[in-house]
Amino acid sequence: MRTSPGESPRRDGHLVVEDLSAGYKKTAIIRGVDVAVSKGEVVTVIGPNGAGKSTLLKSVMGLLEPMAGSISLGGEPIGGLPANKVAAKGVGYVPQVRDVFETLSVKENLEMGGYHLRRPEVQERIEEVLLAYPQLKGMLTRSAGKISGGERKMVAIGRVLMTRPSLVILDEPTAGLSPKLAQQMLEQYVARLTAREVAVLLVEQRAREALEISQYAYVLASGEVKLESAAASILDRDDLGQVFLGRTEGAA
Amino acid sequence: MELNLALGFGLVTASILALGAVGFTLQFGITNIFNLSFGQVMTVGMFAAYLINVQGGQSLWVGVLGGALAGAVVSGFLNKTVFMPFLRRGVSLDGIIIVSLAVGLVLENVMLAFAGPSFKAYNQPRTHSIHVLGMILTVQQLLIIGISVAALVGLHLLLRQTRLGKAMRATAANAGLARTSGIATDRVTMIAWCLSGALCGAAGVTFALNLATFDTTTGSSLLLVVIAAAVFGGVGQPYGAMLGALVIGLATEFAALVSPNLKEVIAFAILVVMLLVRPDGLIPSAATKETMGAR
């Protein structure tokens, strides 16, 4: 039983992943995964280490070629496209580590985010990003490898916002941040992305905090979706700890 | 007086080494391939300039341009037909070093087959020497310094001011992230190979010009010193390579005051000391080992 009582799995959205299998060399890490994310909502994927969360994100981004299944964005198939083409379709991806160009300045990082924009547009979008992240204003010429973890993540998110993406993929954006900063990152920056009518696909270790800003969630374990449901109904469950680990048999 | 002379020759040598070392390091910074065929690509540049200058009767400076162009074409061709396919097949970067060694040997022997083992020399116009700040340099040597400075300033502007240059630095820093930012890293990498080949070709021609004669092995012997300069500066770091070239260029010419045989000795002594003190060179690279073949 994949869903909570009274719910059925969702199949519609801006991003629709169907029956996806992917992995490295010939070994599938995720198998038969269905995920859907609509514009203006945060969808979180939670699950234990090694569940295949990053593999899922990388396949959507085109960093891994799917072995089977389909991925579409706004009804257009994007499965199997290389990452630079997927980015050009309006997908922004913030990896967990190595999320900025360390040897480039903050400003150059933003410029690279808008790589295929025309020159006047680049300047315009940088202003737009600075409006959302005014903290970055004072550090535009600084090397992105030499700023704090929180600032760095802002640069990373700001970089993907340069193209005004329709889908933003975030792989554990709070990793390495203090609990307070993590909370702030999720509530103020990740949740607010939805105001731009962006679809947000989020992977988080801080499951409870992530669910609180999400509309919908998937529990991934051993490469399969064990449970999908409105985020609120997962938060309400008494066996939350077990659910995070993908153990839902008893409750469902 | 002798010191001033050595300073002048040192600057010329440094200019030549800088072209080669920056070319070598630019390509390494983006691909992480320690390309040992770079020496023979320099020789290709020397022969291209020879064809233009001696066989074609054109000016030597057209020859330098031709040598750079030939270096760019050969380097780009090798990337497309040899290095990229091997990387795609998942050959390790260590394995690729051996591949590059083999490619270099093939190139060298092909040139040997066509050009023969004899030494070649360019048609250089007789020029007078010019005294600058106590240094005595020929017009050619001054032009070599000029070519090198112009090429390196041009490269600096490219890397810092243009979209393509920034994309190259972004690809060198983090190729995966560059791809997810919409940068066509394969194309950027290809351009880097050509650019590095052009610098390498120019280095070859100017080296041969300064040396007066060359044969099919001249490039590979130059490569060792070029690598010393590149590694000294922190391999993958263009500015470090420039500095490395300056230090090693000057040091070798000052050592030559004692004995010309000491030139390479001093180059590698400096390199060894540098690696003992700072294993990553003067400016450590931020890039990690990530192959370009992966998507």
Side-chain angles (χ1 to χ4, degrees):
Chain A
M1 186 90 184
R2 262 179 61 153
T3 53
S4 295
E7 287 185 89
S8 56
R10 39 150 68 180
R11 289 285 178 270
D12 296 325
H14 180 56
L15 171 74
V16 180
V17 175
E18 277 177 313
D19 202 21
L20 180 72
S21 298
Y24 298 88
K25 300 270 158 90
K26 294 219 161 75
T27 316
I29 305 227
I30 54 173
R31 290 171 304 276
V33 169
D34 300 309
V35 166
V37 188
S38 297
K39 281 188 178 178
E41 70 169 8
V42 178
V43 170
T44 295
V45 179
I46 55 176
N49 283 331
K53 304 186 293 291
S54 289
T55 304
L56 168 65
L57 299 191
K58 283 179 184 164
S59 321
V60 174
M61 193 58 221
L63 289 166
L64 272 179
E65 199 158 358
M67 293 166 175
S70 72
I71 306 169
S72 71
L73 188 76
E76 194 186 345
I78 58 165
L81 287 181
N84 59 316
K85 296 273 167 59
V86 173
K89 299 272 182 202
V91 182
Y93 170 68
V94 180
Q96 183 185 345
V97 290
R98 304 198 68 219
D99 51 353
V100 297
F101 300 109
E102 296 189 352
T103 53
L104 271 60
S105 71
V106 168
K107 181 157 185 257
E108 286 170 337
N109 266 273
L110 297 180
E111 286 172 10
M112 287 299 105
Y115 181 71
H116 54 258
L117 299 177
R118 287 180 299 112
R119 195 179 271 270
E121 268 181 319
V122 171
Q123 202 46 49
E124 197 179 296
R125 300 284 174 90
I126 288 179
E127 297 299 327
E128 203 175 287
V129 169
L130 292 180
L131 223 55
Y133 303 105
Q135 299 93 318
L136 297 183
K137 259 184 200 158
M139 55 182 77
L140 284 177
T141 56
R142 284 178 62 190
S143 173
K146 291 180 180 155
I147 55 180
S148 78
E151 291 160 353
R152 182 185 164 114
K153 200 51 90 174
M154 268 178 224
V155 173
I157 298 177
R159 178 179 54 73
V160 306
L161 291 183
M162 287 290 291
T163 55
R164 291 194 189 135
S166 62
L167 170 68
V168 171
I169 299 173
L170 298 160
D171 195 351
E172 298 198 24
T174 71
L177 300 185
S178 70
K180 188 163 168 248
L181 215 52
Q183 185 94 14
Q184 203 181 1
M185 179 62 69
L186 289 172
E187 286 174 3
Q188 293 191 9
Y189 298 114
V190 177
R192 276 193 206 166
L193 291 174
T194 57
R196 298 164 182 258
E197 276 305 291
V198 171
V200 180
L201 179 58
L202 173 69
V203 159
E204 254 304 331
Q205 283 294 334
R206 298 177 204 265
R208 186 178 293 274
E209 292 89 334
L211 288 172
E212 272 163 7
I213 62 153
S214 303
Q215 280 71 46
Y216 203 77
Y218 294 85
V219 177
L220 200 63
S222 314
E224 291 169 1
V225 173
K226 300 289 186 192
L227 174 72
E228 61 165 289
S229 172
S233 69
I234 295 187
L235 268 174
D236 284 344
R237 291 173 70 133
D238 304 326
D239 59 343
L240 206 53
Q242 292 295 305
V243 170
F244 289 159
L245 298 173
R247 296 180 193 139
T248 61
E249 287 81 2
Chain B
M1 188 61 200
E2 278 207 330
L3 284 180
N4 281 342
L5 278 180
L7 178 65
F9 293 148
L11 288 179
V12 176
T13 305
S15 301
I16 296 165
L17 285 182
L19 287 173
V22 170
F24 183 86
T25 226
L26 181 73
Q27 177 256 309
F28 179 87
I30 292 183
T31 61
N32 276 316
I33 295 175
F34 205 86
N35 179 13
L36 293 177
S37 66
F38 203 81
Q40 282 79 10
V41 177
M42 291 195 271
T43 314
V44 169
M46 296 176 201
F47 276 101
Y50 180 80
L51 285 178
I52 292 167
N53 171 239
V54 177
Q55 315 256 339
Q58 299 293 316
S59 129
L60 198 49
W61 309 111
V62 178
V64 176
L65 220 60
L69 193 67
V73 170
V74 171
S75 186
F77 176 77
L78 291 179
N79 174 44
K80 184 131 190 101
T81 57
V82 181
F83 294 110
M84 263 298 181
F86 269 105
L87 280 180
R88 287 239 163 80
R89 230 171 269 178
V91 175
S92 73
L93 288 168
D94 299 331
I96 295 274
I97 296 179
I98 305 301
V99 171
S100 78
L101 190 67
V103 167
L105 286 175
V106 170
L107 272 179
E108 189 164 316
N109 284 297
V110 167
M111 286 188 283
L112 186 64
F114 281 97
S118 63
F119 279 94
K120 308 276 186 288
Y122 297 127
N123 286 333
Q124 303 199 34
R126 287 248 160 260
T127 54
H128 52 282
S129 301
I130 295 172
H131 296 247
V132 204
L133 304 168
M135 301 180 285
I136 303 171
L137 296 169
T138 64
V139 174
Q140 274 95 332
Q141 287 176 320
L142 278 177
L143 276 167
I144 288 173
I145 295 177
I147 288 171
S148 177
V149 169
L152 298 181
V153 168
L155 185 73
H156 164 76
L157 292 177
L158 174 80
L159 290 177
R160 294 283 151 181
Q161 305 292 338
T162 69
R163 199 176 79 119
L164 173 65
K166 288 173 191 173
M168 281 185 185
R169 285 166 55 221
T171 304
N174 192 335
L177 196 66
R179 277 187 288 273
T180 66
S181 300
I183 298 172
T185 51
D186 281 357
R187 203 171 62 90
V188 169
T189 306
M190 185 61 179
I191 295 171
W193 274 92
C194 292
L195 205 58
S196 117
L199 288 168
C200 166
V205 184
T206 51
F207 183 72
L209 182 58
N210 199 40
L211 204 64
T213 60
F214 68 95
D215 68 1
T216 51
T217 64
T218 308
S220 41
S221 62
L222 171 60
L223 178 68
L224 291 174
V225 190
V226 163
I227 288 178
V231 173
F232 179 94
V235 73
Q237 301 284 354
Y239 301 104
M242 292 181 201
L243 216 63
L246 192 64
V247 169
I248 291 192
L250 289 175
T252 52
E253 294 303 334
F254 280 116
L257 287 177
V258 182
S259 160
N261 296 325
L262 285 179
K263 276 189 172 188
E264 291 195 351
V265 175
I266 198 79
F268 287 100
I270 291 174
L271 180 64
V272 168
V273 170
M274 185 67 183
L275 290 181
L276 282 174
V277 182
R278 296 189 67 138
D280 293 327
L282 204 59
I283 308 173
S285 171
T288 58
K289 299 262 180 216
E290 186 187 9
T291 63
M292 293 296 304
R295 285 166 41 117

